[in-house]
Amino acid sequence: MVNTNTTTLIKSVDRPSPAARIQSIAGRFDVILVVAILGVVIALTRGNIQFLAGTIAIYALYALATNMLVGWLGIVTFGSAAYFGAGAYFVALMREIELNPLLLLLLAGIVGAVLAAFFSALTIRVNGIALTMLTLVFGQILYQLLFSFGFLGGDDGIAGVPSGELFGLRLARPENFWIYVVVVVGVCLLAIKAIYRSSFGRSVLAVHDDPLRADALGIPLKRVRVMVFVLAGFFSAIAGALLTQQQGIVTSESLHWLTSGNVLIMCLIGGTASFWGPVIGAGVLLVLETQLFRGISYSSLFIGLILLAVVMVFRGGIAGLPKQVQGWVHGARVRGSARKERSS
């Protein structure tokens, strides 16, 4: 008879399997792995691919920042372009001052954070559809200001914005800017992932799932909401500043509500419940717009139909597809077993 120690049994049960350990490690270092692999692969390609990849990386950061409000907090916003455009215009207005590009990004992020704090403080007692409409109104107010001040350029925007130099590298060259943007976006993704996995991130998700229960547990609902707005504004403004540094021009489109709508679509098709969902959505939407349907008549109609099909069929977005397929397979097995039992 084999002598079995209870402690040994408990340890054997608690010990995770090799697959679970690998999955845990991948979950901790996924941002570093993805950024490193893509950074090296894209660095070996041509300049036009590097430019497109840089644009996707910028909008991926913008989508992740927006998803802090949409997916984390459960607030549908049509005003995220206010922070994105604020960061973009800040860099353009500072074009005559020679500053370190990284310092410009930091200052642009602070501008976006201040705007977001101002808006969230004004609307702290508003919720639901009323808050959604106020985000749209706030964004459109800033958009209309472009035509009230001549130095903002109106519809023409501001051109001739230098990319700058960093450590002796001219960022105007696609290969140099790709290294710059992948490092900046990678650091921002690491910061967002750290926030997502922190106790504050868990508090945000608790507020999203059940505000009443979160309040009963002592989570300060208003403070959490303001902090999420501030963080979303900060990272959105950095994304806008990066886009201006990349393209050398900023236009009124960066503050238009359609920009907010596009990034919201990125979040939805990628999956708001997943950390990587907005990143996937940004890549899919930009590739569809710039590569597959470029120059085709009614391209917006075709893209809209594809995105509608994705949202309707894959309710958790593209990132939620594996779990959804797993659910379909499990359901098919259960139904098959039930039929066998009835037939027997």
Side-chain angles (χ1 to χ4, degrees), residues 29 39 42 61 71 77 100 129 167 214 230-231 239 264 336:
F29 301 101
I42 300 299
L61 174 59
T77 174
N100 186 294
I129 189 64
F167 306 124
V230 169
L231 290 169
L264 184 59

Side-chain angles (χ1 to χ4, degrees), residues 58 74 177 197 270:
I58 291 169
F177 192 84
R197 296 172 64 94

Side-chain angles (χ1 to χ4, degrees), residues 284-302:
V284 169
L285 184 59
L286 287 176
V287 168
L288 287 176
E289 289 181 340
T290 61
Q291 303 299 311
L292 297 184
F293 294 104
R294 183 176 56 184
I296 299 178
S297 300
Y298 305 107
S299 59
S300 297
L301 175 62
F302 294 128

